Amino acid sequence: MTSANPTLNTASAAGSREGSAFAEISQETLALTRRLFVQLARRPSTLVAGVLQPLIWLILFGALFAKAPEGLLPGGLSYGRFLGAGVIVFTAFSGALNAGLPVMFDREFGFLNRLLVAPLRSRSSIVLASVLYITTLSLLQSAAIMGTAAVLGYGWPGAGGLVLVLITLLLLVFAVTALSLGLAFALPGHIELIAVIFVANLPLLFASTALAPLSFMPSWLGWLAALNPLTFAIEPIRAAYGGELSLHAVVLNAPYGQLTSGTCLGVLAALATGLFLAIRPLLDRKLS
Amino acid sequence: MSTGLSTGLIELQNLSKRFGAARRGEGGVVALDGLSLSVPEGCLFGLLGPNGAGKTTTLRILCTLLAPDAGSVHIAGIDALRDPRGVRRLLGYVAQEVAIDKILSGRELLELQGDLYHLERQQRDQRITELIALLGMADWIDRRCGSYSGGMRRRLDLAAGLLHSPKVLVLDEPTVGLDIESRSAIWQVLRQLASSGTTVLLSSHYLEEVDALADQLAIIEGGRVIASGSPTELKAALGGDRVTLRVREFSSESEAERVRSLLEACSGVRQVVVNRAQGFSLNLVIEHDGVIEQLRRQLAEADLPVFALAQSRPSLDDVYLQATGRTLMDAELAVAGSRDAKAERKQSMR
């Protein structure tokens, strides 16, 4: 700052000393996350569409089967109460499925190169920011749906139930986010990514226990639904809505055996971990 | 190689890079073919060459966005291949295609950039204020980037590159497609930077730009350096002055040929060319000023008038012509049809 031309001062060059790793990683991660939220605030259509679509499912499907004979569903649930858990999970799922889109656009428009030229302490910050952003967004959308379901009289879990719902949704969101981020780096462009998202979305919803119990399904579909990760998230939440908080409670009679809440959560956790490990080599390659 | 004897702040040695060869070594497009470059500290260095010569690839390797197939990259003694982060902290990079976030305002983009370089908030904000003043961005910096013109974007990107006061500023075609006002604003900043000790490395396919700005330059073609030095040195090395002669405003071809054979007979005259595009005027090189008088005498004796006679020192274009055997413009035209924009876009995508 002693030079005659303070605005071009280079003496203090490369300004930053080596700070602590934690401080630097949080600084870069927070800055990247903030960017995603500023984008969301100025272009809230993602948020709105992500709530509207499940809301329509909730209202239309709820109405469609409002007069279903009592006792049709296991445990004597009304259809609305049955549907709630499915739509909540679907909301979180489709929200997280979009995780790769901002990354894909950054790749395509070259903004990612701007990040890669910067001396990031860890390039995991880029991934971490996406995970933070999409998790918050999905949970916000799910909360909106849960609120609406409660207003429609489809129930509300107690405090303990909320914790179980939150954990389940988090595990599902992590797994799906990992998948979507992997696709965002593996596919050539956003057209392909959107196509995959579009194709994956609804079939996974229909081939799960979101809209109908296993007992309604032909056996091949029952098998599919009992292997579908969405089902593993739906059933513990449905149980929590019914006041069943024990991890040892059987929540699904799958064709291959009985599943407890604990098993479901374990599978989701394994899936999330497995997917993050699986995409790691890809991310390392693309970000190095 | 890096025994401390190297003098440049930036040392590129024997870089080679091939694209699309599917890691099998053969085939594909050769982008760099043993390129070596040494840029002294505090120098404003120009990389001159037609599109497709390997300028962008060189800069991308320097900025750690690409790994070379072979060769070494050192900046201030740091090996870019071993310690890319160390190099990234020294560098500001202004890419050719300005990647900005349309939704953010310019100021927000700079704040993000500052955080990615781990500036402290106070230092960051102060620096942003300085750069806004320096680059004249105050009127629009809080508007969203999506509304910016090309010149505004380029200035913002320059600010982003300068934010962390880098030791080395790397710019890829910084003024391509810009209006004159933005161009001269950027030139002025680059000159100031170099005079205050920042090393500036820029690529360009504008001769005037490199001539006007660069302390030193390297001409790149076919992925290697074919000539380097200061503009003055390079021009002086060519020797002789360039003369354009017209005996009439519009000569006929036969008259021009007649003049040509006359001129070629004179001593101290070289490289006489009939320029068809300019009304059959004649371009030639003379070895010293005295030759002009002799020319006039000869022409008078042959009863030929002199409509115009212009003499100039060799330009960079002449340097280029001498080094490559063609003018820069011809080189541009030659590659214009042979490049695959889609493939290049893919290369730069991660």
Side-chain angles (χ1 to χ4, degrees):
Chain A
M1 285 297 165
T2 50
S3 76
N5 194 350
T7 45
L8 284 172
N9 144 60
T10 54
S12 78
S16 45
R17 299 150 303 284
E18 193 80 293
S20 86
F22 178 75
E24 290 195 350
I25 291 178
S26 10
Q27 187 181 15
E28 59 205 31
T29 306
L30 280 180
L32 290 169
T33 314
R34 192 181 317 120
R35 165 176 174 240
L36 292 169
F37 276 108
V38 169
Q39 287 181 337
L40 180 69
R42 292 186 189 160
R43 221 169 19 185
S45 49
T46 334
L47 177 68
V48 174
V51 173
L52 266 187
Q53 199 198 10
L55 203 62
I56 293 168
W57 289 117
L58 194 65
I59 292 169
L60 283 187
F61 267 84
L64 193 59
F65 293 105
K67 298 207 165 156
E70 273 190 38
L72 184 72
L73 290 161
L77 284 172
S78 79
Y79 187 72
R81 284 181 157 266
F82 178 85
L83 181 66
V87 175
I88 291 164
V89 167
F90 177 67
T91 309
F93 167 72
S94 34
L97 207 50
N98 289 322
L101 274 178
V103 175
M104 179 58 99
F105 284 121
D106 280 354
R107 276 181 73 205
E108 286 186 312
F109 290 117
F111 201 87
L112 187 64
N113 282 337
R114 181 190 286 279
L115 308 183
L116 295 181
V117 169
L120 296 181
R121 185 62 176 244
S122 164
R123 290 179 165 187
S124 313
S125 302
I126 299 171
V127 176
L128 199 58
S130 289
V131 174
L132 276 176
Y133 164 74
I134 212 72
T135 307
T136 316
L137 179 60
S138 309
L139 290 183
L140 275 179
Q141 291 169 336
S142 304
I145 294 298
M146 286 172 74
T148 315
V151 170
L152 290 173
Y154 298 165
W156 180 256
L162 269 181
V163 174
L164 191 64
V165 170
L166 183 67
I167 293 173
T168 314
L169 290 181
L170 275 178
L171 291 174
L172 179 74
V173 166
F174 287 156
V176 178
T177 301
L179 180 71
S180 184
L181 286 175
L183 288 173
F185 281 103
L187 296 175
H190 73 273
I191 307 268
E192 290 81 357
L193 182 60
I194 289 174
V196 170
I197 291 174
F198 186 74
V199 167
N201 211 346
L202 289 187
L204 274 165
L205 173 69
F206 287 116
S208 77
T209 58
L211 305 177
L214 282 186
S215 55
F216 284 23
M217 301 178 189
S219 78
W220 65 268
L221 187 57
W223 269 96
L224 277 184
L227 295 172
N228 184 340
L230 289 190
T231 301
F232 289 84
I234 292 165
E235 292 306 330
I237 291 180
R238 192 166 279 152
Y241 262 74
E244 178 55 81
L245 300 180
S246 165
L247 292 180
H248 302 295
V250 171
V251 292
L252 185 70
N253 285 307
Y256 48 79
Q258 295 187 323
L259 288 177
T260 63
S261 275
T263 320
C264 287
L265 294 186
V267 169
L268 287 179
L271 192 66
T273 319
L275 280 170
F276 268 109
L277 290 179
I279 64 164
R280 229 192 117 140
L282 176 70
L283 297 188
D284 284 348
R285 196 169 70 242
K286 293 287 185 170
L287 293 178
S288 71
Chain B
M1 288 266 176
S2 54
T3 47
L5 284 172
S6 53
T7 49
L9 184 73
I10 303 173
E11 286 286 341
L12 307 180
Q13 264 154 2
N14 276 317
L15 291 183
S16 60
K17 180 75 190 174
R18 196 188 287 270
F19 287 114
R23 292 179 207 111
R24 252 172 283 126
E26 280 309 307
V29 181
V30 175
L32 296 182
D33 182 18
L35 180 135
S36 297
L37 204 62
S38 173
V39 179
E41 182 156 13
C43 178
L44 208 165
F45 196 100
L47 285 184
L48 179 65
N51 284 322
K55 303 188 299 289
T56 298
T57 307
T58 307
L59 299 186
R60 290 172 65 84
I61 288 176
L62 184 65
C63 295
T64 74
L65 278 174
L66 269 183
D69 296 338
S72 69
V73 182
H74 287 88
I75 296 174
I78 301 174
D79 185 337
L81 303 177
R82 289 220 189 107
D83 181 12
R85 211 166 88 80
V87 162
R88 283 179 205 130
R89 268 189 281 165
L90 300 177
L91 282 183
Y93 176 49
V94 181
Q96 187 172 2
E97 275 181 25
V98 189
I100 54 173
D101 188 326
K102 288 184 185 173
I103 303 291
L104 298 183
S105 72
R107 189 188 299 275
E108 286 164 338
L109 188 86
L110 292 177
E111 287 169 354
L112 170 65
Q113 183 94 5
D115 284 332
L116 297 182
Y117 283 82
H118 310 116
L119 302 184
E120 283 158 24
R121 177 180 283 254
Q122 198 192 342
Q123 182 194 5
R124 178 193 81 182
D125 293 346
Q126 184 195 342
R127 190 73 187 133
I128 290 176
T129 313
E130 287 170 6
L131 288 167
I132 289 173
L134 177 73
L135 290 159
M137 306 189 292
D139 289 344
W140 42 267
I141 194 69
D142 288 310
R143 298 214 313 250
R144 292 194 197 175
C145 297
S147 67
Y148 291 179
S149 70
M152 288 150 101
R153 284 168 176 233
R154 210 67 60 91
R155 277 191 246 182
L156 177 64
D157 217 43
L158 183 56
L162 287 173
L163 196 59
H164 61 293
S165 310
K167 212 171 164 57
V168 178
L169 183 68
V170 177
L171 308 104
D172 196 0
E173 305 269 6
T175 63
V176 80
L178 286 194
D179 56 287
I180 299 197
E181 196 193 337
S182 295
R183 178 191 281 212
S184 62
I186 286 178
W187 281 14
Q188 198 191 341
V189 170
L190 296 184
R191 284 203 187 96
Q192 271 176 272
L193 276 170
S195 66
S196 65
T198 304
T199 307
V200 179
L201 175 61
L202 70 93
S203 76
S204 180
H205 63 281
Y206 293 139
L207 286 162
E208 324 85 76
E209 180 159 84
V210 173
D211 207 358
L213 280 178
D215 303 320
Q216 290 203 44
L217 70 113
I219 296 177
I220 297 190
E221 186 160 284
R224 48 172 55 199
V225 175
I226 53 174
S228 65
S230 74
T232 330
E233 270 167 28
L234 286 171
K235 285 185 262 184
L238 280 187
D241 276 10
R242 269 57 191 163
V243 171
T244 305
L245 169 71
R246 289 163 182 250
V247 290
R248 291 178 218 285
E249 189 167 9
F250 299 102
S251 293
S252 66
E253 183 167 9
S254 60
E255 186 175 51
E257 288 299 333
R258 205 180 119 216
V259 179
R260 186 165 78 122
S261 46
L262 189 84
L263 294 176
E264 275 174 342
C266 294
S267 67
V269 171
R270 297 186 265 131
Q271 299 166 27
V272 187
V273 178
V274 175
N275 191 335
R276 281 156 206 280
Q278 287 176 18
F280 294 104
S281 64
L282 291 122
N283 297 342
L284 53 140
V285 177
I286 57 165
E287 267 154 28
H288 54 89
D289 288 349
V291 179
I292 294 280
E293 273 317 299
Q294 193 193 333
L295 279 185
R296 286 187 183 277
R297 227 175 15 247
Q298 295 260 5
L299 287 168
E301 277 168 21
D303 247 357
L304 284 163
V306 173
F307 174 74
L309 192 149
Q311 182 183 359
S312 64
R313 315 294 308 173
S315 68
L316 265 192
D317 211 359
D318 300 316
V319 173
Y320 192 87
L321 180 65
Q322 180 77 21
T324 65
R326 56 182 178 171
T327 64
L328 185 56
M329 180 151 343
D330 288 338
E332 291 275 291
L333 291 174
V335 292
S338 68
R339 297 187 91 191
D340 183 349
K342 205 175 160 193
E344 277 171 34
R345 212 175 135 79
K346 254 195 155 151
Q347 268 167 30
S348 70
M349 202 171 132
R350 300 287 220 144

